């Protein structure tokens, strides 16, 4: 069985909707200033006091808000595009991450519904694994020093 055209369309329309909604949400929050508790990745937020003060400078600038919205949307779309290339088999994950045998999306049936793992449950936990193996860049996304 393969993924049906109607599920492909609905899924990709939803992806585009989420890209826009997240970009709008974040740029709106930055435009208003204040708490950064809306940031969920990495799992411990990661902003230093200096970074938070710098983000306060983004408040009340509609041109900057619009530009940020576009940058955020572009970043989200780029990540999804790269992941879809891995799913489509037109690129592969870094071989140092582990064995890869390719995957595909299929329409869910009652038979497939049993014992499925949820990727969304794993994403944030895997950040810490990624942090352990990522190359040193002189910066990090979180503020954990351990």
């Amino acid at each position: 069985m393969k993924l049906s055209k109607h599920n492909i369309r609905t899924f990709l329309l939803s992806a585009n909707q989420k890209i826009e909604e997240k970009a709008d949400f974040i740029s709106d929050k930055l435009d208003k200033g204040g708490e950064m508790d809306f940031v969920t990745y990495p799992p411990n937020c990661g902003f230093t006091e200096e970074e938070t003060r710098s983000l306060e400078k983004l408040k009340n600038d509609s041109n900057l808000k619009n530009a940020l919205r576009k940058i955020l949307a572009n970043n989200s779309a780029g990540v999804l595009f790269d992941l879809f290339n891995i799913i489509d088999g037109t690129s592969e994950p870094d071989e140092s991450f582990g064995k890869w045998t390719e995957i595909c999306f299929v329409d869910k049936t009652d038979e497939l519904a049993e014992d499925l793992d949820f990727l969304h449950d794993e994403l944030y936990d895997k950040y810490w694994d990624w942090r352990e193996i990522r190359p040193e860049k002189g910066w990090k996304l979180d503020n954990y020093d351990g």
Side-chain angles (χ1 to χ4, degrees):
M1 177 193 295
K2 63 180 190 172
L3 194 58
S4 61
K5 293 289 184 188
H6 71 272
N7 275 345
I8 292 171
R9 182 179 191 280
T10 300
F11 179 71
L12 293 177
L13 286 175
S14 295
N16 279 281
Q17 175 191 27
K18 295 299 179 189
I19 289 168
E20 183 175 315
E21 286 176 354
K22 293 292 185 183
D24 192 42
F25 174 81
I26 293 169
S27 62
D28 190 52
K29 287 285 194 177
L30 291 172
D31 186 54
K32 290 178 181 171
E35 290 294 318
M36 299 300 291
D37 58 355
F38 64 91
V39 177
T40 59
Y41 186 90
N44 71 350
C45 186
F47 291 107
T48 64
E49 288 181 30
E50 296 83 12
E51 291 167 339
T52 301
R53 279 195 300 276
S54 291
L55 287 170
E56 284 289 321
K57 297 174 186 175
L58 303 176
K59 286 177 20 178
N60 302 316
D61 185 332
S62 61
N63 288 321
L64 184 55
K65 179 181 176 180
N66 290 337
L68 283 171
R69 185 183 295 120
K70 293 173 183 178
I71 291 168
L72 291 165
N74 181 73
N75 184 73
S76 297
V79 169
L80 286 177
F81 185 81
D82 289 349
L83 290 174
F84 292 160
N85 271 301
I86 292 172
I87 292 167
D88 291 342
T90 56
S91 69
E92 294 183 1
D94 186 314
E95 62 187 32
S96 70
F97 296 160
K99 182 179 177 183
W100 181 250
T101 58
E102 295 192 1
I103 62 173
C104 65
F105 285 146
V106 296
D107 287 345
K108 189 174 178 180
T109 64
D110 289 339
E111 296 165 356
L112 290 173
E114 297 178 22
D115 299 324
L116 289 177
D117 293 326
F118 293 112
L119 292 174
H120 73 270
D121 288 338
E122 297 287 329
L123 177 65
Y124 294 104
D125 287 341
K126 290 297 180 262
Y127 170 78
W128 301 110
D129 294 345
W130 164 243
R131 190 169 184 275
E132 288 284 322
I133 65 170
R134 78 187 273 273
E136 179 55 47
K137 298 180 181 198
W139 60 270
K140 58 186 185 223
L141 294 173
D142 63 82
N143 57 11
Y144 178 69
D145 289 326

